[in-house]
Structures are given as structure tokens and as C-alpha cells.
Amino acid sequence: IVMNLPKLLRVFLRVTLFLLDTVKDMVLWAILYGKSVNIAHKTLTIQMLIWVFFFLIFFAQAVVGLFIASNYGTILSIPNDIQVWKKASIWLLMLISTPVLPSIVIFKATIYSTNISSIIAHAGNTGDSKASEVLQEVEDLKEKERIHSQLYSYARAIESTLETYPQLNITLSLLVVDYILPVGFHTELGSILMNTFFLISIPYSIILIITSITNLVNNQKRRSLGLKASAVLAMSYFFQLISSMSCSIFIVVVAQINQIYTWQQSAFLLLLVNILVTWCFTFIFTRKIVRDFSEAPIQQQVFHVLVNTNVTIPHRDIKNEQQRKKSFEIFWHMVFRCSVNM
């Protein structure tokens, strides 16, 4: 237990932050909604953004639940000949417990990791185990731990893409709009407690997005990224996020300044079309460029399209780990993103 205490503490911290993130989102929405009620001249843009914020909390959790539930065979040891109604019951139970599913996955990964340490320690102390058997058992547990860690990183990346990033975008847009054209948020949120909450939640969300994407890439590369490579990768994604957020905030600010109903509608549709065009381009472009993409499972294709909504991440096949050049894919996807932002 003492040997594995650092791992257990690290996992406990990750699970706590994961659960607190959902609570933070609900509190932030409640604050923004409560202040918007008292605004006398709130526009269609403000109303839409606040309700989109609320919708994304549950939508992202539902997508994460569906993604993990589709991999129920990885998490649970279930016979192949299980009855259909039992499979349906397992799916339903997993969907109901969506908020804690990623926590269960990472806990299982930690259990496998601690079991590896115990097996190695036991083999070293007793000396009565065959080296080949111990090695095979350790390799099997390492593979299970890798799969569960990868599944957790996928879930975090989905949540960051569908929930954390849009909510950060909406929050910053409303605060920038209020700074340029006061609508009531800043004056209503004058208390030290509320200002502190905003100051903490914004950098926390940025760090959460960047770390989730970096961990995803690191897991896809079998944790081969060092500290320096991870830092450079995180910096690259940070600048990509700033670029995407600046464009979205600019659209919202322009729509808010022009108090015309058609402008409000056009701004909302422009943000929506931007996302849909990015998804379509990512899917078609990757399908044409990457040979393995069309053969990948449908959930892996959808996942790749989702995580490339705001940043550029090359496709990596989970099963086929053969090295391939990704510079062409990365370059032209970034060119497309720059064109869309402009």
C-alpha cells in the first residue's frame, strides 16, 4: 500500500477534479443565468449562449456515457453469449451512472497498476515463480491498464471538446461583451467571491482542455512523450485554442453591439455553421488522406472528428500502430482552420 500510495493519491486527485468540474459548470451556469434575469436589455445572443451553456453540460455527459458504454466489454468481464435484455440493462445502468463512469475506468487502471507492482514484489521475495509466467502476467496487466487509461483519456477529451471549451468560450464572450458594452454582468458580479470564482474557473478550464488533449496524444503514443515534448505540444494547443476563441468572441461582440434581430440570428448561425463545416472537412479530408481511417470503428471516426473541432490532432489507429508520416495531414488541417478563422 505504501509503495502504491503516490499512484492512489494521484488518481484520487484526478477523480476529485473530474467530479468538481461538473459541479463548477453547474454553479457557473446558475450565476450567469441569475444575472441575466436582472438584465433589462438582454439580447437574443445572450439568451441563446446561456441556454447553450446549460444544454452542453448534459449533452457532453451523455456522449461520454455512450462512448464508454459502447466499450462495456473492456470495462466489464461479460460472456459473449449474454442475453440481449441483460446487455440492454448493462447499457442502461452505465448511462445512468455516466457522471462517475470515467472515475470507475481510471480506478480500474490504477488497480491493474498496483497489481503489477504486487506481482513483481511477490516474485522477487519468494523466488518460486517462473520468470516467463510472471512476465506474461505483467504484460497482460500492463495492456489492460493501457487500454483503461486510453479510454479515460478519450472520455476527458470528449468532455473538454463538447463541454469545457464551448462553456469557456461563452463565459469569456459574455465578460468581453460586458466590458465593451456593459449589459449588467460586471456590475452585478461585483462581489469579491464572484470575481474570484470567475478568475479561477477560466484558467482552470484552459488548463483542463490542454492537459486532456496532451494526455490523449501521450496515451495514443504509449506514453512516450517526455516533459519537454509535452510542454511544446501543450503550448501549440494553447495558441490554437486562443485563435479559435478570439474569432468566436469577435462574432459575439459584433452581434451584441448591433442590436438588430437579424444580426443576432446570423451570429448564432455563423458559429454553428463553423462547427459543422469543420466536422465535415475533418471527416472527408481524413478519409481521403489516411488509408486506415475508413476501416476504423465508427465510434473512433466520430471521436476523431469531435476532438479536431478546435485543435488539430492527427488520426492514430488504436489497433494498427505502424508509424506513418502525419505532417501533410497536420499542415493542411491547420491551413483549413486558419482559413475558417479568417
Side-chain angles (χ1 to χ4, degrees):
I1 296 175
V2 175
M3 289 174 54
N4 295 307
L5 188 59
K7 292 181 182 179
L8 296 173
L9 290 175
R10 188 167 63 250
V11 171
F12 178 76
L13 179 62
R14 292 171 73 178
V15 170
T16 303
L17 291 176
F18 180 84
L19 297 175
L20 283 177
D21 183 52
T22 304
V23 176
K24 183 264 297 178
D25 292 336
M26 292 298 297
V27 173
L28 187 58
W29 176 82
I31 292 173
L32 293 175
Y33 177 77
K35 303 311 170 186
S36 70
V37 171
N38 299 323
I39 297 175
H41 304 288
K42 57 176 177 286
T43 62
L44 179 67
T45 304
I46 291 178
Q47 295 180 58
M48 281 186 171
L49 289 178
I50 289 175
W51 282 109
V52 166
F53 190 120
F54 180 76
F55 168 76
L56 288 172
I57 296 175
F58 299 96
F59 176 69
Q61 294 295 327
V63 174
V64 169
L66 285 171
F67 178 77
I68 296 180
S70 65
N71 294 273
Y72 70 91
T74 302
I75 304 171
L76 305 173
S77 300
I78 301 174
N80 295 327
D81 58 346
I82 188 174
Q83 295 177 347
V84 176
W85 71 269
K86 289 183 179 180
K87 279 187 179 181
S89 301
I90 292 170
W91 262 71
L92 182 61
L93 183 61
M94 293 183 75
L95 289 177
I96 293 173
S97 58
T98 289
V100 297
L101 277 182
S103 304
I104 296 172
V105 172
I106 196 61
F107 266 126
K108 286 201 69 176
T110 308
I111 291 171
Y112 290 130
S113 180
T114 54
N115 286 343
I116 291 171
S117 302
S118 301
I119 291 170
I120 295 174
H122 178 74
N125 293 330
T126 59
D128 58 355
S129 302
K130 291 183 180 180
S132 58
E133 293 179 355
V134 173
L135 184 61
Q136 183 60 46
E137 192 173 1
V138 168
E139 287 299 321
D140 291 342
L141 288 175
K142 278 186 176 180
E143 182 63 17
K144 290 180 180 179
E145 188 223 348
R146 185 189 68 83
I147 292 172
H148 280 75
S149 297
Q150 192 172 67
L151 189 59
Y152 175 80
S153 66
Y154 278 28
R156 295 297 291 141
I158 292 173
E159 188 187 37
S160 296
T161 301
L162 295 180
E163 181 181 355
T164 309
Y165 174 81
Q167 290 174 354
L168 174 64
N169 226 335
I170 292 170
T171 304
L172 287 174
S173 298
L174 293 176
L175 292 178
V176 171
V177 164
D178 186 66
Y179 180 78
I180 297 175
L181 184 68
V183 294
F185 283 102
H186 184 71
T187 55
E188 294 286 341
L189 297 174
S191 67
I192 297 176
L193 183 61
M194 294 300 180
N195 289 331
T196 303
F197 182 78
F198 274 98
L199 288 174
I200 293 174
S201 65
I202 291 172
Y204 172 77
S205 297
I206 294 174
I207 293 171
L208 191 66
I209 296 168
I210 294 173
T211 53
S212 66
I213 296 172
T214 306
N215 288 334
L216 169 68
V217 176
N218 193 23
N219 272 285
Q220 288 180 335
K221 296 174 72 66
R222 287 184 173 269
R223 302 178 188 174
S224 60
L225 292 179
L227 182 61
K228 186 177 180 180
S230 298
V232 172
L233 197 64
M235 188 64 68
S236 169
Y237 291 135
F238 173 75
F239 286 119
Q240 291 183 55
L241 289 172
I242 293 298
S243 175
S244 298
M245 285 192 295
S246 300
C247 297
S248 302
I249 292 171
F250 176 78
I251 292 172
V252 174
V253 169
V254 171
Q256 182 65 28
I257 292 175
N258 294 272
Q259 302 287 334
I260 304 173
Y261 185 77
T262 53
W263 276 77
Q264 309 289 317
Q265 282 185 317
S266 300
F268 191 78
L269 289 174
L270 184 59
L271 292 172
L272 183 61
V273 168
N274 183 9
I275 295 172
L276 294 177
V277 169
T278 302
W279 287 349
C280 292
F281 173 83
T282 302
F283 179 77
I284 296 171
F285 177 72
T286 310
R287 194 177 179 87
K288 292 290 184 182
I289 298 300
V290 183
R291 212 178 318 169
D292 300 332
F293 184 72
S294 58
E295 300 172 1
I298 185 64
Q299 64 262 34
Q300 190 177 340
Q301 296 183 30
V302 172
F303 172 78
H304 175 72
V305 171
L306 287 177
V307 296
N308 277 272
T309 304
N310 311 304
V311 296
T312 298
I313 303 176
H315 173 71
R316 290 181 174 86
D317 194 349
I318 298 175
K319 296 180 180 179
N320 182 13
E321 297 183 352
Q322 184 178 358
Q323 291 291 327
R324 65 176 182 85
K325 291 184 178 180
K326 305 179 182 70
S327 56
F328 184 84
E329 179 187 356
I330 295 172
F331 175 77
W332 285 109
H333 196 278
M334 293 190 74
V335 168
F336 167 77
R337 294 207 58 80
C338 291
S339 303
V340 169
N341 290 339
M342 290 175 65

